[in-house]
Amino acid sequence: MISKKVADSLNKHMNLELYSAHIYLSMSSCANEMGLKGAANWFMVQYREEMVHFMKFYTYLVDQGMNIELLSSKAVPNTYKSLLEMMQRTLTHEELISKCINDLSEQAVQAKDHATQIFLQWFVTEQIEEENNDRDLIAKLKLVGDNGHGILMIDADMAQRVFVPPVGAPLAV
C-alpha cells in the first residue's frame, strides 16, 4: 500500500508532467511561428510524450486507490529567440525532471515502497534518453550557428520524429 506522503509526492510530480506538456505545446506553436515546421513537429511529439507520462502517474495513483488532485498550473513561456534557446530550455527542464524522478525514487526506497520503486524505474531510464536527445540537438545547433541552411537541415531532421506510445501506455492521450 502506498503511503500518503509518497502518493502526495507522486501527485505533485504528475502535475509537473502536465506542466511539461504545456511547455512543449507552447514551444511547438513558437517554432511554427518561426517557420520551423520540423521543430514544431518535434515539440508536438514531445508534448504527446509528456501527456503519456502524466497519464502513467494518473493511472498508477488511481490504481493505488488514490484520488488525484490537479493543481493550478502557472503560465508557460511562449516567446523564444531561437531554436537553440528552445532546446537549451528543454534540456534544463528535462534535467529538473530527472532530479525530481530521482528524488521520488529515493523517497520510495526510504518508504520501502517496492511497487513505486518499480514504477519509477521506467522514468529513470526515459530521462536518460530525453537528456541525450536534447544534448545531441543542441550540439548540432551550435555547430551550424546562425547559418540558415544548417538550421533548415536540422529542422528537416526534426520533422522526421514520430510519436510512438510506449507499450502499455494509457490510452487517454
Side-chain angles (χ1 to χ4, degrees):
M1 172 119 185
I2 192 169
S3 72
K4 178 160 177 27
K5 183 178 178 183
V6 170
D8 288 347
S9 294
L10 292 175
N11 192 94
K12 182 179 175 185
H13 187 82
M14 176 191 70
N15 280 276
L16 182 58
E17 293 288 350
L18 186 57
Y19 179 73
S20 299
H22 292 164
I23 289 171
Y24 298 129
L25 188 60
S26 178
M27 286 181 173
S28 178
S29 174
C30 187
N32 189 63
E33 183 182 36
M34 291 176 175
L36 299 171
K37 304 293 187 195
N41 171 70
W42 193 94
F43 285 114
M44 185 59 70
V45 170
Q46 194 66 24
Y47 159 80
R48 293 184 69 191
E49 284 189 1
E50 298 306 328
M51 289 304 298
V52 167
H53 299 172
F54 168 81
M55 288 304 301
K56 279 180 170 274
F57 276 91
Y58 169 87
T59 301
Y60 182 76
L61 286 165
V62 168
D63 287 352
Q64 291 286 331
M66 305 309 293
N67 184 19
I68 64 104
E69 181 181 1
L70 293 173
L71 306 173
S72 296
S73 180
K74 63 181 179 177
V76 298
N78 68 347
T79 306
Y80 301 91
K81 296 175 186 168
S82 67
L83 182 54
L84 177 59
E85 179 189 1
M86 283 191 272
M87 290 311 308
Q88 289 170 328
R89 296 249 184 123
T90 297
L91 178 58
T92 298
H93 183 74
E94 291 301 332
E95 288 170 342
L96 167 71
I97 297 296
S98 294
K99 182 190 179 316
C100 292
I101 294 289
N102 289 337
D103 291 347
L104 287 170
S105 296
E106 183 58 31
Q107 185 180 4
V109 167
Q110 295 299 318
K112 297 182 180 175
D113 182 341
H114 303 291
T116 299
Q117 289 175 50
I118 292 166
F119 167 71
L120 290 170
Q121 189 58 52
W122 182 88
F123 291 95
V124 171
T125 303
E126 173 72 4
Q127 284 309 117
I128 293 167
E129 178 186 333
E130 295 276 0
E131 289 182 29
N132 186 49
N133 291 339
D134 298 343
R135 280 191 299 273
D136 284 349
L137 281 167
I138 289 168
K140 289 175 185 177
L141 287 164
K142 285 182 175 179
L143 278 173
V144 300
D146 292 333
N147 181 302
H149 295 299
I151 293 170
L152 288 176
M153 288 179 65
I154 293 168
D155 184 62
D157 189 45
M158 293 174 86
Q160 302 308 308
R161 186 175 187 201
V162 176
F163 175 70
V164 179
V167 175
L171 297 176
V173 292

